[in-house]
Amino acid sequence: MTKRPVRFYQVGSFAVGNRLLTDDQRTVQSDPNRTNSIDSGHRACQGCGEALGARYALDAAMRAAAGRVVTVNATGCLEVFSTPYPETSWRVPWLHSLFGNAPAVATGVAAALRVKGREDVRVVGQAGDGGTVDIGFGTLSGMFERNDDVLFICYDNEGYMNTGVQRSAATPPAARTATTDAVGPEPGNVFGQGKDLPRIAMAHDIAYVATATVADLHDLEHKVEHAMTLRGARYIHILVPCPLGWGSASSDTIKVARLAKESGLFPVFEAENGRVTSVSPIRRRTPVEEYLRLQRRYAHLFGAHPRPDIVTRLQEIADENIARYGLVNDETEEIPVLEEAKEMVH
Amino acid sequence: MLRQIEGSRAVAETVALCRPEVVCAYPISPQTHIIEAVGVMVKSGRLSPCEYINVESEFAAMSVSIGASAAGARAYTATASQGLLFMLEAVYNASGLGLPIVMTLANRAIGAPINIWNDHGDAMAARDAGWIQLFAETNQEAADLHVQAFRLAEELSVPVMVCMDGFILTHAVEGVDLMTQEEVDSFLPPYEPRQVLDPDDPVSIGAMVGPEAFEEVRYLAHLRQLDALALIPTIAESFATLTGRDSGGLVHPYRTDDAEVIVVALGSVLGTIKDAVDARRARGERIGVLGITTFRPFPRDGVRDALAGASRVVVVEKAFSVGGEGVVLTDVAMAVGGRDVTLHSVIAGLGGRPITQRALESVLERASRGDLERLTFLDLDEAAVSRERSRIAAARRTGPSAENVLYDRATQGSRVAQEQS
């Protein structure tokens, strides 16, 4: 099925209004019959990107699987804020075992469902970046290489936020964490380290790998729904700003996520069977500084002793991403507004 | 049907008769023959429906079992030694979640120094993990215990570890009476989970539990283990009715009725101990044996009653708490607490060192003479130990102790070869 390119935009923004779309293209969250897979009343911080990402991802998965979803959750913020015993926000079958084993537990669930002939029930594994790129990496790679029928979603907030903002292998260079403090000649996290898990996932030649941010929730929903049409191991890596850990305003979560993508620091793309199949182009190319300045974890780059040299190195990383994925094309800088869209907003 | 069969094979055949739906495997000696044989049965379609999953670690093996069990499948895995330790976080988790997984533990020493041979260090390291731990004396019992283990686990929603001595049992070929599918089916009903991940009835499993309820949840786990103390003999009795075999149960007393000295042990060494005891009985000594089949939950009353007539108890065990004493001894001491009985801990068979009847009899001789210490290490090369102690006292960089001791105990030939190279 070819995807119809969406060319309707609200004037002055890149957001696609639901009323401009056909029913099947409207966001899951606009559906009064959405499942509310993770329901209100959980204890995430105000402006939590992970809660937002999980809500959209799971509701999309539920719609795609006609409500036949089982979830497996690693230890972390999402697990803690959603299930303070005896309360639970989950309206899907949900299992939490350990920090480092969610992919393997998901494999077990998938195996049990297969042996029982319940292949209509789909398995979604979830973890933060610590549970994915660090402590859960071995079990994740095992699940990938066996091509087990699991969609695994990483909510990447670039650190161990649940334990008090420590560095993970997903923490970007120069970022301040509790274990990479903004002190010394090279303040914050060091350059030249860290894991690019979407690329590692692609190297397993699994059916589907995608990245997304909570700035473009429609794109996120689309990717989850597409992933649910496929079988075997699938991976979606969602950038979810953490106001607490990043030192950003709770009201800026979407903005920060958007700038991560628009600066090129977080490339948004899809890959199938190890090959990139689409990228989300940068609409309005933004210097990394604009992204960094919104976050206190980078405050040491701009204070009384500014470090433009470090900002330049971060810009180089963004530029490399842009070149690697082809994130800037000729249509960039344009806000396409079709005549019919203009008519509709009048 | 009586067959001359390797212990691992007997266990694999029996596990298959229990119709596991998800079997997870990661190779580690001496458990490999079990999972290999089950794997062939799944691959050939003889064991069906069953998903056999080759995973990347024991941690994953237990984790996959957790997922499978929580999704309502009968789950089985096997491990040993380092493998058990590598999965230990998930081992605790399985019992905490109340998932009735059955796992064979082919008992093997824990390194360093790395050692693939048998002792009980692995089982004892998981003693407090909330699993029921059953110890097989023979391959017949190892096979039989698995059938009982699935029923026990699923009735109580508690995982069960069937411990069988690595190599001594797993690789020994002896006669085993294998059950038929009809017999196993009549004994083991299909798995009906108490909790299950089901889209039609969504539940959250594994929620965060704070101080307000954690103690109650742990206490409930303890009560389930106490329930097992009552259930295990019942299951063993119905098994005996079906097969005519006295497999399982809590404890197995042997010639203890008038015994003044009773030797307590777990696992395959009971055979050698019984030979030693028979020999001493023939010489008129009032001595008996108490085999502990169920180590967790610990059958305190059963052990106390069986030891009621003894004035001296010798616990022979293949593990010890470094800096403490025998692990089983601690439990036996608790069971006989308040009584005037002399207790001895004999640590034997570490890292696969053979436990000979002669060595056992020499210890029992010392016990009957009243000159056996509280803690004894059977067949310990004290000279090698004191040489290493002297080296450590004399210099700083003395190198790794294990290699030094090995060198000391090496044959003269290899030592010469080493010096010449």
Side-chain angles (χ1 to χ4, degrees), chain B residues 66 71 98 143 179 211 390:
Chain B
I66 286 169
M179 296 173 75
S390 304

Side-chain angles (χ1 to χ4, degrees), chain B residues 178-200:
Chain B
L178 291 174
M179 296 173 75
T180 64
Q181 188 65 65
E182 293 69 31
E183 284 176 321
V184 174
D185 287 347
S186 74
F187 185 80
L188 181 61
Y191 173 37
E192 186 60 49
R194 195 171 280 280
Q195 53 183 352
V196 67
L197 297 164
D198 179 1
D200 293 327

Side-chain angles (χ1 to χ4, degrees), chain A residues 67-72 79-80 83-101 104-109 111-116 118 121 135 138-143 145-146 148, chain B residues 21-22 49-51 53-57 59-74 89-91 93 97 99 191 196-210 212-213 217:
Chain A
R68 318 300 282 169
V69 169
V70 171
T71 56
V72 173
E79 168 261 327
V80 171
T83 60
Y85 196 80
E87 297 152 15
T88 176
S89 290
W90 300 100
R91 298 178 67 175
V92 290
W94 180 91
L95 172 64
H96 161 247
S97 175
L98 298 170
F99 200 175
N101 72 351
V105 173
T107 291
V109 173
L113 293 170
R114 195 160 56 242
V115 79
K116 291 184 171 296
R118 297 288 304 277
V121 182
I135 195 169
T139 54
L140 183 69
S141 179
M143 187 274 279
E145 70 85 9
R146 289 186 303 268
D148 295 326
Chain B
E21 293 167 299
V22 175
C50 181
E51 291 286 329
I53 302 171
N54 285 294
V55 288
E56 72 285 355
S57 73
F59 179 62
M62 183 49 60
S63 300
V64 168
S65 302
I66 286 169
S69 187
R74 181 172 286 165
E89 188 192 14
V91 169
N93 192 254
L97 293 171
L99 298 173
Y191 173 37
V196 67
L197 297 164
D198 179 1
D200 293 327
D201 181 20
V203 291
S204 296
I205 303 175
M208 181 87 174
V209 176
E212 66 274 25
V217 175

Side-chain angles (χ1 to χ4, degrees), chain B residues 80-262:
Chain B
S81 180
Q82 316 297 135
L84 180 69
L85 263 62
F86 196 47
M87 64 162 67
L88 194 57
E89 188 192 14
V91 169
Y92 270 78
N93 192 254
S95 66
L97 293 171
L99 298 173
I101 298 159
V102 170
M103 173 164 69
T104 309
L105 184 66
N107 297 106
R108 168 183 150 182
I110 288 169
I114 186 169
N115 175 299
I116 65 164
W117 292 277
N118 166 247
D119 72 27
H120 289 168
D122 51 3
M124 294 303 149
R127 178 193 65 175
D128 301 330
W131 285 55
I132 290 169
Q133 288 184 314
L134 309 175
F135 280 79
E137 181 181 338
T138 63
N139 281 339
Q140 180 69 61
E141 189 167 46
D144 293 346
L145 282 178
H146 282 84
V147 184
Q148 298 187 32
F150 279 108
R151 182 159 146 189
L152 180 64
E154 290 169 10
E155 278 200 47
L156 295 173
S157 294
V158 175
V160 179
M161 200 181 293
V162 179
C163 302
M164 64 188 295
D165 285 315
F167 296 111
I168 297 169
L169 291 182
T170 55
H171 288 55
V173 175
E174 58 185 22
V176 176
D177 195 355
L178 291 174
M179 296 173 75
T180 64
Q181 188 65 65
E182 293 69 31
E183 284 176 321
V184 174
D185 287 347
S186 74
F187 185 80
L188 181 61
Y191 173 37
E192 186 60 49
R194 195 171 280 280
Q195 53 183 352
V196 67
L197 297 164
D198 179 1
D200 293 327
D201 181 20
V203 291
S204 296
I205 303 175
M208 181 87 174
V209 176
E212 66 274 25
F214 192 84
E215 186 169 329
E216 285 71 22
V217 175
R218 298 309 291 164
Y219 184 67
L220 281 165
H222 176 63
L223 289 182
R224 283 205 302 274
Q225 291 264 328
L226 298 186
D227 291 343
L229 281 178
L231 185 59
I232 288 167
T234 310
I235 287 178
E237 277 165 31
S238 66
F239 189 85
T241 306
L242 179 69
T243 64
R245 289 195 295 275
D246 180 26
S247 294
L250 299 174
V251 294
H252 280 105
Y254 176 78
R255 304 185 83 167
T256 53
D257 282 348
D258 62 340
E260 293 167 345
V261 178
I262 295 181

Side-chain angles (χ1 to χ4, degrees), chain A residues 36-296:
Chain A
N36 290 319
S37 308
I38 173 166
D39 212 347
S40 57
H42 61 69
R43 301 182 187 181
C45 305
Q46 192 177 35
C48 172
E50 185 171 38
L52 181 65
R55 175 177 177 80
Y56 275 71
L58 278 186
D59 280 347
M62 284 287 274
R63 181 165 85 173
R68 318 300 282 169
V69 169
V70 171
T71 56
V72 173
N73 212 123
T75 307
C77 274
L78 181 60
E79 168 261 327
V80 171
F81 74 62
S82 64
T83 60
Y85 196 80
E87 297 152 15
T88 176
S89 290
W90 300 100
R91 298 178 67 175
V92 290
W94 180 91
L95 172 64
H96 161 247
S97 175
L98 298 170
F99 200 175
N101 72 351
V105 173
T107 291
V109 173
L113 293 170
R114 195 160 56 242
V115 79
K116 291 184 171 296
R118 297 288 304 277
E119 279 164 331
D120 58 317
V121 182
R122 309 299 302 277
V123 185
V124 176
Q126 312 183 87
D129 50 291
T132 304
V133 307
D134 284 344
I135 195 169
F137 182 69
T139 54
L140 183 69
S141 179
M143 187 274 279
F144 283 166
E145 70 85 9
R146 289 186 303 268
N147 200 25
D148 295 326
D149 191 17
V150 173
L151 168 60
F152 201 85
I153 300 174
C154 170
Y155 304 105
D156 178 9
N157 57 19
E158 303 189 332
Y160 290 93
M161 304 320 187
N162 185 47
T163 45
V165 194
Q166 293 86 16
R167 178 216 183 259
S168 79
T171 301
R176 178 268 166 201
T177 70
T179 51
T180 56
D181 212 342
V183 295
E186 297 286 337
N189 194 31
V190 297
F191 281 79
Q193 298 183 347
K195 281 183 218 172
D196 184 343
L197 207 74
R199 283 169 64 207
I200 296 170
M202 284 168 62
H204 291 76
D205 286 345
I206 58 176
Y208 186 65
V209 174
T211 64
T213 77
V214 289
D216 191 345
L217 292 162
H218 205 160
D219 174 68
L220 166 58
E221 286 182 339
H222 165 75
K223 285 170 176 168
V224 171
E225 291 194 281
H226 179 63
M228 297 298 282
T229 66
L230 305 170
R231 291 279 175 174
R234 291 143 290 145
Y235 179 68
I236 299 180
H237 188 109
I238 307 172
L239 186 74
V240 292
C242 170
L244 175 80
W246 295 14
S248 52
S250 293
S251 55
D252 277 347
T253 293
I254 304 299
K255 184 179 181 183
V256 168
R258 181 179 296 122
L259 290 176
K261 182 238 174 187
E262 294 293 283
S263 66
L265 280 173
F266 188 83
V268 177
F269 66 94
E270 290 178 291
E272 298 200 12
N273 304 310
R275 291 172 189 274
V276 174
T277 53
S278 79
V279 299
S280 296
I282 290 172
R283 297 286 182 197
R284 186 186 289 142
R285 193 165 175 181
T286 310
V288 295
E289 184 170 342
E290 201 172 314
Y291 167 73
L292 304 174
R293 278 188 180 276
L294 290 173
Q295 306 169 55
R296 281 199 308 281

